Amino acid sequence: MPAEDGEAEREALREAVRGLLAKHSDIRAVMASRDGYDPAVWSKLSEQIGVAGLTIPEKYGGAGAGLAEVGVVAHELGRTLTPSPLLGSSVLAARLIGEAAGEPDRARLLPGLADGSRVAAVAWTGEDGRWSDRPAVTARRGGADGPVPNSAASNSAAPDGAASAVLSGTAAYVLDGDEADTLLVPAAEGEQARPALYEVDAGAAGVSRRDAEALDPLRRLATVTLSDVTGTRLGELPAPALRRARAEAVVVLAAEQTGAAERALELTVEYTLQRRQFGRPIGSFQAVKHRLADAFVRLETARSACHSAFASAAGCSGPDDEDVAVAKVVCSESLQHIAAEMIQLHGGIAITWEHDAHLYFKRAHGSAALFGRPQRYLDELRYLDDQGHLDDQGHVDEAGVAVPAPGSRRAGSQDVVTGAADVSGG
């Protein structure tokens, strides 16, 4: 497909999503409800536009599109701060199923994700929020007496004869975890064992889910505790597969952050042209102009970092580690800067509950921490070889942080770290 044709289709997708959100998205109603998102809006996005299944192959009911199309949707959701299961279910969960599950399980699970009727949540990281190659939940094989009673395999949706393991542990920051129909749990049977992906019925006995009451009221995060719950094994999840899934989620999050930054700056510019002081709009004062110009530079930098990350994601191996790290840092810091300026330039009205400025500010800081702090991604770049793996003698410490072998720093990575910090103002 020619590049211009793809761009035209993405622009049409952008207009469709923006128009639907303008008519139906009501973030204040969501905040006042017990739900983490509006099911009616998600249903419309899925049924009318096909948002839920954009990257899922057509044979499973999806659109078979690329990550760039998901980025378009995430950008529009970010502009309006509309909560949805897109990031946790359609991106992260669908990717892990594609990485680990065999054909029968893909055919069983992906169609529901593609049409939006099923929401899956990934219970991966612990309270440290590192999203590392070592999942928070541990697995052990069942005994000779048969499966444990708290079993997902006993559910009618589980495939006959599927391997299982007993899962225990607590996962934090689970996107939409207290509302999902299905839990996908990366877990390893021991420190040296490779993780595998397990399916758990969210309503099974032994599963405890609670709203984590995150800083961002429009990003539902849950804490999920599994107490000797049997999970159905979908397949092995090697470290590169976990990193690929996390990288794609970070790139989509960067698009959302860029959309939020874009709208926050638009609202701020509009206000500075309307608010008058000393007989003239405050936007005409040089000091305000400079602050808005700096914010615009930040926004354009975020756009560039995001564009580069999506361009590399179009390859077969997924997003490049350097592009992901730069997008994480630049888009996080750009949104934080613009959201802070939004509050400063709006003045007193910005700190009221009725104004949306505080919501953009909370989104900025909550998103920066999601999937790991930005600095963590820059640190990792120093310890990966040209194939994206740890250097031969490197290792991962108990906290899940990559540690290099002596003298095995990746060539050129320090330049990337320094350059990203300079571009982002860090």
Side-chain angles (χ1 to χ4, degrees), residues 236-247:
E236 190 175 273
L237 264 181
L242 282 168
R243 284 198 293 268
R244 239 183 341 260
R246 187 190 67 187

Side-chain angles (χ1 to χ4, degrees), residues 2-369:
E4 57 269 20
D5 290 348
E7 186 59 37
E9 291 180 357
R10 284 191 285 273
E11 189 58 34
L13 175 62
R14 185 187 310 280
E15 292 178 1
V17 174
R18 185 173 296 188
L20 190 150
L21 294 177
K23 292 180 180 179
H24 302 290
S25 178
D26 186 347
I27 60 175
R28 294 289 174 164
V30 174
M31 291 170 61
S33 72
R34 298 174 62 89
D35 299 323
Y37 63 94
D38 186 343
V41 172
W42 179 241
S43 178
K44 287 182 173 64
L45 286 169
S46 300
E47 295 174 2
Q48 298 180 18
I49 304 178
V51 163
L54 279 174
T55 61
I56 295 175
E58 293 182 61
K59 66 178 180 178
Y60 303 122
L67 203 64
E69 284 69 29
V70 181
V72 169
V73 176
H75 184 277
E76 295 305 313
L77 292 172
R79 281 179 56 89
T80 57
L81 302 181
T82 301
S84 79
L86 178 77
L87 187 59
S89 184
S90 302
V91 175
L92 191 58
R95 178 62 175 181
L96 289 179
I97 291 172
E99 289 279 3
E103 179 60 29
D105 287 320
R106 292 182 187 181
R108 179 172 59 85
L109 295 171
L110 289 178
L113 297 186
D115 63 20
S117 62
R118 178 199 295 264
V119 172
V122 179
W124 178 344
T125 190
E127 291 186 359
D128 57 12
R130 292 185 181 275
W131 299 80
S132 70
D133 302 342
R134 290 185 178 178
V137 176
T138 58
R140 71 177 189 274
R141 296 287 178 89
D145 294 332
V148 174
N150 300 339
S151 173
S154 64
N155 188 285
S156 59
D160 294 335
S164 63
V166 180
L167 307 178
S168 298
T170 297
Y173 317 114
V174 182
L175 290 160
D176 303 303
D178 60 334
E179 297 183 310
D181 309 297
T182 301
L183 296 177
L184 298 177
V185 186
E189 293 185 15
E191 291 188 3
Q192 303 302 320
R194 286 186 176 182
L197 185 65
Y198 295 88
E199 176 191 0
V200 173
D201 181 355
V207 177
S208 173
R209 303 185 291 169
R210 63 177 178 84
D211 180 9
E213 299 182 357
L215 169 68
D216 182 356
L218 293 169
R219 174 95 70 198
R220 192 64 163 262
L221 301 176
T223 300
V224 176
T225 299
L226 304 179
S227 303
D228 291 337
V229 178
T230 300
T232 303
R233 191 179 191 276
L234 298 179
E236 190 175 273
L237 264 181
L242 282 168
R243 284 198 293 268
R244 239 183 341 260
R246 187 190 67 187
E248 289 192 356
V250 168
V251 172
V252 173
L253 178 62
E256 181 195 278
Q257 290 171 311
T258 304
E262 177 184 271
R263 185 56 182 157
L265 183 55
E266 288 175 0
L267 292 171
T268 304
V269 171
E270 289 174 8
Y271 181 78
T272 61
L273 295 177
Q274 296 169 1
R275 176 76 166 88
R276 300 180 68 84
Q277 189 69 40
F278 304 110
R280 55 193 288 195
I282 63 172
S284 66
F285 294 112
Q286 189 175 41
V288 175
K289 288 180 179 179
H290 285 177
R291 295 177 74 160
L292 291 174
D294 288 343
F296 180 72
V297 170
R298 294 270 190 163
L299 174 60
E300 291 304 300
T301 305
R303 288 191 209 275
S304 296
C306 194
H307 178 79
S308 179
F310 276 103
S312 70
C316 297
S317 59
D320 180 77
D321 292 318
E322 294 178 358
D323 289 327
V324 172
V326 171
K328 176 67 173 175
V329 174
V330 172
C331 295
S332 294
E333 294 189 358
S334 294
L335 178 54
Q336 287 176 318
H337 176 85
I338 292 172
E341 289 292 80
M342 183 183 194
I343 290 177
Q344 290 294 319
L345 295 178
H346 273 79
I349 192 175
I351 61 173
T352 62
W353 179 257
E354 291 75 17
H355 199 278
D356 287 346
H358 71 96
L359 298 177
Y360 283 94
F361 186 81
K362 292 172 180 175
R363 172 58 57 89
H365 288 271
S367 295

